[in-house]
Amino acid sequence: MRSRLLLAVSLLAVAGSLAGCGKTSVNSPITTAPPSLDQAEVASVVAIEPEVVEDGQFESTEATVLGASPGATGALAAIHPLHFWRVITGVERRFEFAFADSDSTGRPTTAIVTVHKLLAGRFNILTGVPGGDETPIDSSVSVIRKPLADHWVRRILLKRIPTAESPRGVWRVVATSGVKVTSRGATTRIESLRFQTAGVDTTLTEPLDFFHLRRILKLVPGTPVTLTVTTLRNDDVVVMCRFGHRFRFHNNGDNTYTGVWQVPDLRAGNGPRPGPGRPPVFHFGVNALSHGTLFDDEAPYDSQAWLLPVVLAPDQVADALP
């Protein structure tokens, strides 16, 4: 909730400054900047649609428990992690606006807003030490804290659509990308994410590609989803990134990692159901971390995460929002 409020405040501040001072560029748009009114309108629309901007998962302090995985720990590991969690102490937001597809009057009909967040904080690892044959970890525990600096990025696609009330056209969100979060200086890379469930088998290779709203991934509560992540190495640690469902994937030993998620009904306890075409948009993701991040107290924090929007069947998002 707090991140959504900060998003709205940041974007409305952008909209207000553009409308008030008449500037025609914000963070160097890719194309020639249109009148500031379009930029202000686009910023205002994105500000009132936080569900397609904020993922609500990565900045959580919820801990991820690390179970055993073949070949992942090793007898020579410097530390033996039990679980980890992040504490974000600072967020710096930046927005890039790019416009294209001008109409006969010279006004753009397409806008792409790229949202950047620089996250600063601590990556915390609760560690234990080897115990006896009956207890793999004894009661001696300590917390290792590593500095965290992550770059969070997402893209939003808008179209200017004429309406009966506004022949000039109004801006509407028509698509959103997933989220990519990469730590500073990271060597860890997610190459692909395969998504398998009843009637669906698809592989994603770029989370910043657009999902048109009606084609956002749809999950059926109560069904299993098999997720297979490919990275550049065979000793990474890959975990699920979703409230209440943070678990470690199985290391297959060939740069792939597999986890099975039983989809809950995420709508339960989510408040009153919204109107048609406006179902709640949820997010889940996967996070790959280098072996040294978790098993070496002197190695730096090295991470990449992909987070994706989903809706739950039979819900369907409208073609455009709001």
Side-chain angles (χ1 to χ4, degrees):
M1 182 62 70
R2 182 173 180 272
S3 62
R4 292 186 176 195
L5 177 61
L6 291 174
L7 168 73
V9 170
S10 300
L11 278 165
L12 290 174
V14 170
S17 65
L18 287 168
C21 69
K23 290 183 179 178
T24 59
S25 64
V26 176
N27 292 322
S28 301
I30 296 173
T31 60
T32 302
S36 60
L37 180 58
D38 279 312
Q39 293 181 354
E41 290 177 351
V42 166
S44 297
V45 169
V46 174
I48 63 173
E49 297 297 340
E51 284 190 327
V52 296
V53 181
E54 294 290 350
D55 67 85
Q57 301 299 316
F58 190 79
E59 296 173 50
S60 168
T61 58
E62 185 180 29
T64 299
V65 177
L66 296 167
S69 183
T73 306
L76 299 180
I79 58 176
H80 296 267
L82 304 178
H83 60 254
F84 71 83
W85 69 101
R86 294 175 173 86
V87 174
I88 306 300
T89 57
V91 180
E92 179 184 331
R93 288 173 171 79
R94 180 169 59 88
F95 307 94
E96 295 177 354
F97 297 80
F99 294 85
D101 303 327
S102 297
D103 61 16
S104 59
T105 68
R107 292 190 58 228
T109 61
T110 300
I112 296 176
V113 180
T114 304
V115 184
H116 299 269
K117 290 195 288 187
L118 299 180
L119 308 176
R122 298 185 303 276
F123 184 79
N124 306 281
I125 310 165
L126 182 70
T127 68
V129 297
D133 293 338
E134 300 299 322
T135 55
I137 300 294
D138 73 12
S139 59
S140 300
V141 295
S142 61
V143 177
I144 293 172
R145 297 176 176 86
K146 299 185 178 185
L148 172 156
D150 282 315
H151 178 207
W152 183 109
V153 61
R154 184 174 213 167
R155 302 193 304 149
I156 311 297
L157 176 65
L158 300 93
K159 290 286 187 178
R160 184 166 57 84
I161 302 171
T163 66
E165 296 77 18
S166 177
R168 177 180 180 274
V170 293
W171 288 100
R172 295 284 187 259
V173 175
V174 297
T176 182
S177 74
V179 175
K180 181 185 287 187
V181 192
T182 307
S183 63
R184 180 185 298 164
T187 60
T188 303
R189 290 289 184 272
I190 297 173
E191 294 288 284
S192 66
L193 169 60
R194 186 180 182 186
F195 181 95
Q196 295 170 282
T197 188
V200 178
D201 186 346
T202 187
T203 299
L204 306 176
T205 58
E206 177 50 74
L208 296 182
D209 287 343
F210 285 120
F211 295 90
H212 286 269
L213 297 184
R214 278 196 178 272
R215 293 197 288 273
I216 285 177
L217 290 171
K218 186 177 292 185
L219 304 181
V220 179
T223 61
V225 175
T226 299
L227 302 169
T228 303
V229 175
T230 301
T231 74
L232 296 176
R233 296 183 292 244
N234 65 4
D235 66 346
D236 288 328
V237 176
V238 175
V239 299
M240 182 74 171
C241 192
R242 172 68 211 176
F243 282 139
H245 301 269
R246 297 178 185 269
F247 58 87
R248 185 175 178 180
F249 283 29
H250 176 80
N251 185 344
N252 299 315
D254 59 356
N255 296 20
T256 67
Y257 305 79
T258 302
V260 178
W261 179 37
Q262 193 77 18
V263 179
D265 192 340
L266 301 171
R267 294 166 296 205
N270 200 55
R273 295 298 304 277
R278 295 196 61 93
V281 177
F282 303 98
H283 290 80
F284 80 94
V286 294
N287 185 189
L289 303 111
S290 70
H291 186 270
T293 295
L294 290 163
F295 292 95
D296 186 341
D297 53 341
E298 296 185 356
Y301 166 70
D302 191 324
S303 164
Q304 185 170 81
W306 290 6
L307 298 113
L308 305 174
V310 296
V311 295
L312 299 182
D315 291 344
Q316 185 161 296
V317 185
D319 288 324
L321 296 173

